[in-house]
Amino acid sequence: MMSCKLLPCPHGPITDTLHLRRAGSIDELEDVLDLHASAFGPRGAILRTRMQANLCARPGSRPDDVFYVRDIESGLVASSVSLIRQQWSYEGIPIPVGEVGIVSTREAYRNRGLVRHQFAAFARLALQQGCVMSVIAGIPYFYRQFGYDFILPLGGGINLPAAAVPEAPEGQAPRYTLRQATPADMPMLLGFYSAMVEGQCVGSVMTPEIWCYQDGVAEDSPERLITYVIERDGDGVGYVRAMANEDSNGYVITSAYAPTRDMCLEVLRYARRIALEQRCDPKIGLGVAMDTPLAQVAEALGGERRRAYAWQVRILDPIRFLYLIGPALERRLAASSWAGLTRDWSINLYTTRLLMRFRDGKLMQVTTSPRDTQHDLSCPAEAMPAIWLGYRSVGEVLDWYADAACRNTESRQLADVLFPKRPSWIQWLF
Ligand SMILES: CC(C)(COP(=O)(O)OP(=O)(O)OC[C@H]1O[C@@H](n2cnc3c(N)ncnc32)[C@H](O)[C@@H]1OP(=O)(O)O)[C@@H](O)C(=O)NCCC(=O)NCCS
């Protein structure tokens, strides 16, 4: 059994024999991986390598971001939850995000509140580390009880039979060529990535470390990606990234910047060749945002939409979150008939109440508002992030929740201006 360092934790022992800890070294994570491998049933052993990469090798991963509960009698790790620090962007504004990493409890220890206990510790650590928002790509329903709700799109995309992609017209030399990217292409690739997510409300922030990590995982790993630069006359004009290995969706393109129809067709022809020659099921899977030209071209060729799942999101610090996205709110006001707004605008989340103080179109302050305020927008706390993150329009939330309402017409108009429904696209990094 590995030695364990008991790091300070406000909870202390959960029971006499079950103790909450934070890993002190990579070695301690071996016991946590044993737990996950056992808790995920028959898939556990297969997933172990992926989970090891997730906990130990992913850029930014740190052993002390891993919480676990050890049974000091049996020596077994009974349950674990981990924090993965990330940065997402809200219309270009960096938002510190605490993703919940792998969660599991050994069968014999389930339904004793061990995950509940670790989520409380997780939220404290994430807040301490400056994360204003926490997200998880997790199992259905379970995380609602910890304040999470399905808020941002995850997965989805399009499946297209490879044979549906037309050949290039006879005798016409391709205008675009694809070549595998090298590390020297990184600045150009990051520029294309930024252009690709520019129209999105929420997007994941790409760094060279993450990009290289994704392209550099083990040759046979299902997560390994491969990046190509799209060139015209020898100049890079776009990129495409795909899963390097076999996948149940055929040849899977995970992201691309291909702003013209001709480029999209060339990318799809390339994908067609690989799908036909190297995949068991000759189809092309597109995991790109639905409002990109590549998705639109694929759909026009007969591609079928896959149903998206969703990120489960909890805003950990609503005041700091609203303050951080202030520049985006100010831009929205400036582009509306409310330009130069001087007014307080208040939100009643029932569990807490917030006040946004706008002066001359600038968000000067976000604070709590007194209980007796007549609030501009009232909305249950769990539904509000869907509005803040542009996942649902104010009208959709008001239609769905009888306890969501705007105070008057002016309050409603401002709500629509400040928080319009917008597309988002976040790439999941396992
Ligand atoms: C899901 C899982 C992590 C729950 O662990 P746990 O230690 O039993 O969770 P907790 O006891 O802290 O659960 C808190 C509450 O959720 C309830 N709960 C447990 N499993 C649940 C489930 N699958 N769905 C809904 N509620 C569940 C518990 O009864 C408990 O309710 P209570 O506090 O009112 O008694 C565990 O069943 C597991 O490891 N499953 C296999 C791996 C997995 O799917 N991991 C999640 C990947 S995202």
Side-chain angles (χ1 to χ4, degrees):
M1 192 57 51
M2 303 286 172
S3 69
C4 307
K5 189 168 78 178
L6 185 61
L7 292 177
C9 170
H11 285 277
I14 301 170
T15 67
D16 286 350
T17 53
L18 295 173
H19 290 194
L20 175 62
R21 294 175 176 178
R22 285 170 66 186
S25 69
I26 288 255
D27 285 350
E28 274 177 67
L29 298 181
E30 280 303 312
D31 290 355
V32 174
L33 283 165
D34 287 345
L35 145 76
H36 291 318
S38 137
F40 279 85
R43 283 185 315 138
I46 304 163
L47 287 173
R48 194 185 160 109
T49 316
R50 287 173 66 185
M51 297 193 289
Q52 181 163 33
N54 182 281
L55 286 185
C56 310
R58 189 171 147 149
S61 60
R62 303 165 36 157
D64 61 350
D65 281 344
V66 178
F67 290 99
Y68 67 90
V69 177
R70 192 182 287 276
D71 180 339
I72 56 162
E73 248 173 15
S74 69
L76 287 174
V77 169
S79 181
S80 177
V81 167
S82 58
L83 166 72
I84 300 168
R85 298 150 201 249
Q86 290 208 36
Q87 207 156 75
W88 287 10
S89 75
Y90 186 100
E91 290 194 355
I93 302 161
I95 301 289
V97 167
E99 183 183 344
V100 183
I102 311 158
V103 176
S104 86
T105 299
R106 270 182 207 276
E107 216 158 329
Y109 295 87
R110 288 186 188 162
N111 297 317
R112 298 195 206 175
L114 295 186
V115 169
R116 180 183 294 284
H117 205 87
Q118 291 170 95
F119 259 70
F122 170 96
R124 269 194 299 275
L125 177 66
L127 273 168
Q128 212 179 62
Q129 298 302 321
C131 303
V132 293
M133 180 167 131
S134 170
V135 301
I136 179 164
I139 53 170
Y141 186 79
F142 181 65
Y143 300 100
R144 288 183 191 278
Q145 61 196 323
F146 309 130
Y148 291 74
D149 213 330
F150 289 89
I151 300 283
L152 288 167
L154 171 66
I158 288 182
N159 279 350
L160 177 70
V165 180
E167 298 276 12
E170 192 110 354
Q172 187 181 303
R175 287 164 79 190
Y176 299 99
T177 50
L178 272 70
R179 66 158 173 86
Q180 197 170 336
T182 69
D185 294 315
M186 196 48 72
M188 178 172 71
L189 292 170
L190 290 173
F192 291 144
Y193 180 85
S194 299
M196 180 194 61
V197 294
E198 201 173 61
Q200 306 295 322
C201 182
V202 183
S204 36
V205 173
M206 263 295 165
T207 63
E209 293 73 31
I210 293 175
W211 201 302
C212 294
Y213 168 76
Q214 291 177 322
D215 285 9
V217 293
E219 291 270 344
D220 58 349
S221 165
E223 271 77 47
R224 186 179 168 90
L225 298 184
I226 185 160
T227 306
Y228 298 95
V229 174
I230 308 169
E231 288 186 327
R232 183 172 181 179
D233 302 329
D235 291 331
V237 290
Y239 82 89
V240 57
R241 293 187 93 193
M243 291 184 125
N245 295 310
E246 185 71 52
D247 184 274
S248 58
N249 285 312
Y251 185 66
V252 176
I253 293 176
T254 57
S255 79
Y257 177 68
T260 68
R261 185 181 148 77
D262 281 355
M263 282 169 88
C264 294
L265 283 170
E266 207 48 59
V267 166
L268 291 174
R269 280 188 199 113
Y270 192 87
R272 175 189 201 266
R273 263 197 309 280
I274 301 187
L276 290 172
E277 289 166 13
Q278 298 172 21
R279 294 294 182 264
C280 297
D281 189 356
K283 64 183 180 195
I284 301 165
L286 290 162
V288 299
M290 294 308 295
D291 56 351
T292 55
L294 188 59
Q296 285 156 3
V297 170
E299 209 170 11
L301 291 173
E304 279 187 14
R305 287 187 182 214
R306 293 194 300 253
R307 187 169 180 233
Y309 193 52
W311 283 97
Q312 295 168 66
V313 177
R314 180 181 164 197
I315 303 290
L316 297 170
D317 185 343
I319 290 187
R320 244 192 89 224
F321 170 78
L322 288 172
Y323 194 69
L324 277 180
I325 66 166
L329 305 183
E330 291 168 5
R331 282 196 294 270
R332 290 169 185 170
L333 280 176
S336 78
S337 58
W338 296 94
L341 181 79
T342 292
R343 187 192 195 279
D344 291 348
W345 199 79
S346 56
I347 307 172
N348 178 11
L349 299 172
Y350 295 108
T351 48
T352 176
R353 291 155 298 278
L354 306 172
L355 184 117
M356 302 165 81
R357 190 151 278 156
F358 292 97
R359 296 292 175 266
D360 300 322
K362 299 265 168 255
L363 179 62
M364 304 304 287
Q365 197 187 16
V366 185
T367 178
T368 49
S369 71
R371 193 176 281 276
D372 56 4
T373 310
Q374 294 263 344
H375 291 92
D376 289 288
L377 172 63
S378 296
C379 182
E382 69 274 16
M384 195 63 220
I387 293 179
W388 286 342
L389 298 171
Y391 189 59
R392 299 278 177 238
S393 68
V394 175
E396 283 168 342
V397 172
L398 263 50
D399 281 348
W400 189 250
Y401 291 87
D403 52 357
C406 281
R407 187 176 162 210
N408 54 34
T409 310
E410 187 178 302
S411 305
R412 171 64 195 272
Q413 281 175 359
L414 268 167
D416 286 330
V417 167
L418 289 170
F419 302 110
K421 187 173 179 178
R422 298 279 324 278
S424 288
W425 185 79
I426 299 113
Q427 181 144 43
W428 186 31
L429 162 62
F430 187 81

